[in-house]
Amino acid sequence: MPLRRGSASCPWSLSDELLEVEHFRTIYNIFVAVLCIFVLRAVVVDFIDNECIVLDFEVLIFAFGRLHMALLAWLVMFLYTLLVPYKVLQIWARSLETLQLPTAVTVIAAAVLLIGHATVLGFYPVYTVISQPFGPASCFVIILEQLRFLMKIHSFLREIAPPILRARSNDGKMGLPPFSTYLYFLFCPTLIYRENYPRTPHVRWRYVIENFAKFLGCLFYGSLLFKCLSIPIFSNMNKQPLTLRRLVLSVFNATLPALYLVLLMFFCFFHCWLNAFAEMLRFADRGFYKDWWNATSFPTFFRTWNVVVHDWLYYYIYQDLLWVFKAKAQSVALLSTFIISGVVHEYAFTLCFGFFYPFTLPFSIVVVLEGMFYSTFTHGNKRPNSNILFWTYLLLGLALQFCLQSLEWYSQIHCPVQKSTFWMKVTTHFWSCYSSAITTPS
């Protein structure tokens, strides 16, 4: 009897299942055809201008500048995450069995972890990103891995420490999970620690290679999108007065590249990258995302777009806040969770792009307010019109963010600051750069 799609023996993510449908695969083929058109455009233009075929990778080379140093920083963070938390927890658990001062031991163990976190997973990656001229993609490698390690450690300690304390109070055996289990957790594509995960019987290496090839193809696709649709528009904005008309048109012109880049980011990371690692590690739970494209509201979108992070926020932020504030303060816990998520997103964007342009945090607050009043004003309306309205808002929001951040990026180039201080690096000076040129049409 053939294996069912999506079973533990032959796991498939949602996109894999949809790509088995001919009509949905046609959409995928259209995106591949557009990639072919971009490649053909680059080849033809190079041949006309230079009389030779040169398919350069300058955007990718710039984006991943000093990647070797970024990988070195990753190695430092990984070794700390691999060795220190587990060893400290092991010493703490053994001390509880022999010492009569469990409170003092707990305080010392917590202090060691806090100092280590603040130094290796706090100060070190931030200092590394600020002090060296990394490309933006290399910065994201460091910062996102910093956040991933912090979330992994929190989940591991959060799941292991309470059973140890309960075993001590009941005079039971306080055993730690094997080190191999912790090592597996650091690499498997989930942020929720469990001692056992559903596993597949074997690794489909062809599937792994295909996903890594698609991942590299998406990176190349994204570089072509920047080169063809983004850089020609925003790199020359300083050559003419920035009127209100040009600003509005630039927002709408950014709709297509913003949409393409978001879809590429989703397919590149949430599908190809996570599925490749899941397959290599025989990790059978492939629910990294749900059908976010069918969402009719932003709360639904955020619950289905990134299930991996959503689950971590739900278990370790939202539910813990509910326990602190009690069940009556559900709206407070929800708002606090979205604010924390927005602050972390702003933190990553600020360090990786080199300027502070708050967009995600206000948007998160708006999403919470929409979620609170959504059922009141829509009465559960899930008709296709609601999905159209959602996509309209999403495209406008993506275009606005993409446009403003692109303008700020090039304002940093066209109007460099005189003093390269930390504050000048993380503050927005787009409006001051173009203030003398901004005019409104009469």
Side-chain angles (χ1 to χ4, degrees):
M1 181 177 179
L3 292 174
R4 181 177 61 86
R5 297 289 190 188
S7 65
S9 301
C10 188
W12 291 82
S13 64
L14 182 58
S15 292
D16 286 323
E17 295 179 358
L18 292 175
L19 287 175
E20 294 294 312
V21 181
E22 182 180 359
H23 299 293
F24 190 88
R25 187 169 184 84
T26 301
I27 301 176
Y28 171 83
N29 295 337
I30 292 174
F31 276 88
V32 177
V34 173
L35 171 62
C36 296
I37 294 297
F38 278 124
V39 173
L40 182 62
R41 175 179 183 256
V43 170
V44 171
V45 169
D46 285 340
F47 183 78
I48 294 175
D49 293 342
N50 306 318
E51 296 185 354
C52 63
I53 299 177
V54 180
L55 194 61
D56 62 77
F57 297 89
E58 58 179 344
V59 176
L60 277 177
I61 294 173
F62 166 76
F64 288 93
R66 298 181 67 84
L67 180 61
H68 61 289
M69 296 301 297
L71 295 178
L72 180 60
W74 175 88
L75 181 61
V76 172
M77 294 187 295
F78 169 72
L79 291 177
Y80 167 82
T81 305
L82 177 66
L83 302 175
V84 176
Y86 186 89
K87 191 63 178 179
V88 170
L89 189 65
Q90 187 180 51
I91 295 174
W92 174 69
R94 290 177 179 174
S95 300
L96 291 180
E97 295 178 351
T98 57
L99 297 181
Q100 301 298 322
L101 300 173
T103 303
V105 174
T106 302
V107 171
I108 293 174
V112 170
L113 283 178
L114 288 176
I115 294 173
H117 281 26
T119 304
V120 182
L121 295 181
F123 174 77
Y124 173 71
V126 173
Y127 174 78
T128 303
V129 166
I130 293 177
S131 62
Q132 299 192 39
F134 289 106
S138 297
C139 290
F140 272 108
V141 170
I142 297 174
I143 298 303
L144 294 183
E145 284 298 285
Q146 172 202 24
L147 297 173
R148 186 177 73 91
F149 287 141
L150 287 171
M151 296 166 78
K152 291 260 189 182
I153 293 174
H154 180 86
S155 177
F156 176 71
L157 298 178
R158 179 72 171 74
E159 298 293 338
I160 295 300
I164 292 177
L165 292 175
R166 286 196 296 267
R168 183 183 187 278
S169 61
N170 298 329
D171 296 328
K173 184 178 180 181
M174 295 179 289
L176 282 177
F179 182 76
S180 58
T181 304
Y182 177 64
L183 177 62
Y184 180 85
F185 170 63
L186 292 183
F187 283 97
C188 70
T190 181
L191 297 174
I192 308 297
Y193 175 79
R194 296 290 184 267
E195 292 192 12
N196 296 290
Y197 297 100
R199 305 286 291 274
T200 59
H202 61 274
V203 179
R204 297 168 294 174
W205 288 107
R206 181 178 178 180
Y207 182 76
V208 174
I209 295 173
E210 287 178 353
N211 276 290
F212 276 129
K214 291 176 182 178
F215 174 80
L216 296 176
C218 288
L219 294 181
F220 179 60
Y221 201 160
S223 68
L224 289 178
L225 285 174
F226 271 106
K227 184 176 181 180
C228 298
L229 298 180
S230 176
I231 295 177
I233 297 175
F234 296 104
S235 62
N236 299 317
M237 289 290 288
N238 66 318
K239 295 183 178 179
Q240 298 179 10
L242 184 60
T243 62
L244 181 60
R245 179 179 181 274
R246 289 193 68 208
L247 183 60
V248 172
L249 288 178
S250 64
V251 172
F252 285 99
N253 289 336
T255 304
L256 184 59
L259 172 63
Y260 266 106
L261 288 172
V262 167
L263 293 178
L264 276 177
M265 180 186 70
F266 159 75
F267 187 77
C268 175
F269 181 75
F270 294 112
H271 180 75
C272 299
W273 184 261
L274 294 183
N275 270 299
F277 270 88
E279 187 65 32
M280 287 191 297
L281 296 171
R282 296 170 45 218
F283 186 78
D285 185 3
R286 306 296 169 87
F288 309 128
Y289 55 88
K290 298 179 182 178
D291 58 335
W292 58 267
W293 46 86
N294 292 325
T296 56
S297 66
F298 281 104
T300 303
F301 168 74
F302 282 111
R303 284 194 298 269
T304 54
W305 160 263
N306 186 352
V307 175
V308 178
V309 173
H310 168 268
D311 288 346
W312 190 92
L313 290 172
Y314 177 79
Y315 285 113
Y316 301 124
I317 302 297
Y318 177 73
Q319 285 196 341
D320 285 353
L321 288 176
L322 275 184
W323 179 79
V324 173
F325 296 131
K326 307 306 178 183
K328 296 181 180 180
Q330 183 177 2
S331 59
V332 176
L334 181 64
L335 180 61
S336 301
T337 303
F338 270 87
I339 289 177
I340 292 173
S341 175
V343 169
V344 172
H345 279 79
E346 296 295 355
Y347 162 80
F349 285 133
T350 298
L351 288 178
C352 297
F353 290 144
F355 55 82
F356 179 63
Y357 208 119
F359 188 89
T360 309
L361 181 57
F363 183 69
S364 300
I365 297 176
V366 172
V367 167
V368 175
L369 295 178
E370 183 206 0
M372 292 178 179
F373 297 103
Y374 176 71
S375 58
T376 302
F377 290 102
T378 61
H379 302 288
N381 182 14
K382 295 185 178 181
R383 294 178 298 177
N385 291 341
S386 300
N387 184 245
I388 294 174
L389 189 62
F390 160 76
W391 271 101
T392 303
Y393 290 151
L394 179 64
L395 291 176
L396 288 176
L398 292 174
L400 182 63
Q401 183 177 15
F402 184 82
C403 175
L404 293 179
Q405 289 186 333
S406 297
L407 290 174
E408 177 62 28
W409 175 273
Y410 281 105
S411 72
Q412 301 275 335
I413 300 175
H414 298 147
C415 306
V417 294
Q418 299 299 323
K419 296 181 179 180
S420 183
T421 62
F422 173 78
W423 181 250
M424 295 301 293
K425 284 185 177 181
V426 300
T427 53
T428 303
H429 68 284
F430 158 69
W431 296 110
S432 61
C433 177
Y434 291 104
S435 59
S436 58
I438 295 178
T439 59
T440 55
S442 57

